Amino acid sequence: MIEKTDVIIIGAGPVGLFSIFELGLLNISCHVIDNLDRPGGQCAELYPEKPIYDIPSRITITGQELTDDLLAQVKPFKPVFHLGQQVDKITKLDSNDWIVETSMNKSIQARCIVIAAGAGSFVPRKIPLKNIGYLEEKNIIYAVRNKSLLEGKELLIVGGGDSALDWTIELSKIAKVTLMHRRKEFKAAPDSVCKMLELENEKKINFLIGQIDNIEDLNNGKIKVITKNDEKNIELEVDFLLPFFGLKMEIGPIANWGLKLDKNLIKVDTEKFETSEPSIFAIGDINTYPGKLKLILSGFHEAALMAQGCFKYCFPDKKNIFRYTTSSKDLQKKLTSI
Ligand SMILES: Cc1cc2nc3c(=O)[nH]c(=O)nc-3n(C[C@H](O)[C@H](O)[C@H](O)COP(=O)(O)OP(=O)(O)OC[C@H]3O[C@@H](n4cnc5c(N)ncnc54)[C@H](O)[C@@H]3O)c2cc1C
């Protein structure tokens, strides 16, 4: 079934989130899609604990606090989030509406698309071995979406950061887990490191120092992972391999949508931040124009003007009357109706 809305926002980073607010003030509904499994984009993913000093009126605010506040601010507009999925394809209908399709086979129809995709999708760094692509989702899992699939199975988790340790602790409750990392120092929260070491002491998980050397398909549902360290090679037969090597950013499918680009950034006008394709807008780090500054506050300004541009497509017969939130009773009612 195709879901319908006025505007689809691609990217739930700070700029995508603030767009919900600016669109909402103009009675424009929206769905937001992000490849990550939580909102916040770079702020939540790359620097949740770091203070930001140049958000107007906030002397200091961390990446995660900014995300939480933006989510609270947009709550009155009841946005619909589709997380953990990438927008792969967009198609224009004869009616000039757009259909957006995601990697989880979701289709959504809207009058306008707002691309707030930052530096692109966050995608996992993969195992640098050739010819193992066909094992992905079958035996190699880069993002755990369905824990029940792993229940009672033999798992090899690889990595030394928060994701590797958090999943080691969580999955040790339902599966037989081996954790492997290049060394016995970890880049994870100290609490998680203590908990993992406790589990190892209690023999509830195995811990190995090493790296993946090769992977063989055993053709019985399992794989053999050959690991190496300075001393020896070890062979492990497991149901699933879960590598957590961090995330990287890729422009991905957006590059194939026929929009005018300049060095992987989307060209826009500075009146509405519309792209070369009418009714597709691009705001935040993903766009380029003379004088562009990749700052959150620039993205917020772009969101306000983009919303004015979307209004013309969503309500072609209506006149948009500019109103302040301080003096419009109608807007105040909307904003306090949580
Ligand atoms: C370490 C660091 C410190 C920074 N400090 C500051 C600072 O002090 N002040 C400041 O103003 N700025 C700072 N920045 C920059 C700021 O974080 C960015 O300008 C801001 O995050 C851009 O917001 P955005 O919403 O445009 O994109 P992003 O935050 O990058 O979010 C884009 C989202 O789109 C998603 N996405 C992309 N493509 C797709 C797709 N095809 N399908 C589904 N989802 C998709 C991504 O997964 C991502 O979540 C800093 C950046 C870094 C890395």
Side-chain angles (χ1 to χ4, degrees), residues 185-290:
E185 286 95 51
F186 301 91
K187 274 197 196 156
D191 266 10
S192 310
V193 177
C194 286
K195 178 80 190 143
M196 187 278 292
L197 294 172
E198 234 173 71
L199 289 172
E200 192 202 1
N201 269 338
E202 294 166 0
K203 303 215 175 323
K204 290 188 178 153
I205 63 156
N206 295 317
F207 175 71
L208 271 182
I209 292 181
Q211 296 184 61
I212 299 172
D213 193 38
N214 204 359
I215 299 171
E216 290 172 18
D217 188 355
L218 294 174
N219 295 313
N220 62 0
K222 294 195 172 224
I223 49 172
K224 185 194 282 182
V225 183
I226 299 125
T227 74
K228 62 171 182 190
N229 64 23
D230 293 342
E231 289 150 27
K232 57 182 175 192
N233 282 7
I234 297 176
E235 295 184 353
L236 290 171
E237 285 186 18
V238 293
D239 297 290
F240 293 102
L241 169 63
L242 294 91
F244 293 106
F245 298 155
L247 299 167
K248 59 179 179 169
M249 286 188 268
E250 277 180 5
I251 183 166
I254 296 170
N256 309 321
W257 295 346
L259 304 171
K260 279 204 180 127
L261 301 178
D262 182 5
K263 300 189 187 93
N264 272 349
L265 296 168
I266 303 173
K267 284 183 154 188
V268 288
D269 65 52
T270 48
E271 185 197 340
K272 304 179 290 316
F273 300 94
E274 196 164 16
T275 67
S276 55
E277 182 64 53
S279 70
I280 299 187
F281 298 79
I283 54 176
D285 278 12
I286 192 78
N287 75 12
T288 182
Y289 53 85

Side-chain angles (χ1 to χ4, degrees), residues 31-102:
H31 284 217
V32 186
I33 307 171
D34 202 298
N35 205 32
L36 292 173
D37 55 10
R38 57 196 169 136
Q42 293 176 48
C43 296
E45 202 54 41
L46 300 181
Y47 57 100
E49 303 293 333
K50 279 202 178 139
I52 311 170
Y53 295 96
D54 56 355
I55 302 297
S57 94
R58 307 301 296 260
I59 311 278
T60 165
I61 184 167
T62 66
Q64 190 56 51
E65 284 167 348
L66 177 66
T67 303
D68 293 342
D69 284 2
L70 285 167
L71 283 168
Q73 192 174 18
V74 302
K75 218 169 164 192
F77 302 113
K78 302 183 177 65
V80 180
F81 285 95
H82 306 273
L83 299 174
Q85 47 203 304
Q86 174 166 278
V87 175
D88 286 334
K89 196 173 163 202
I90 60 169
T91 316
K92 197 167 196 169
L93 301 176
D94 291 341
S95 64
N96 283 338
D97 273 10
W98 292 95
I99 298 276
V100 161
E101 290 169 67
T102 78

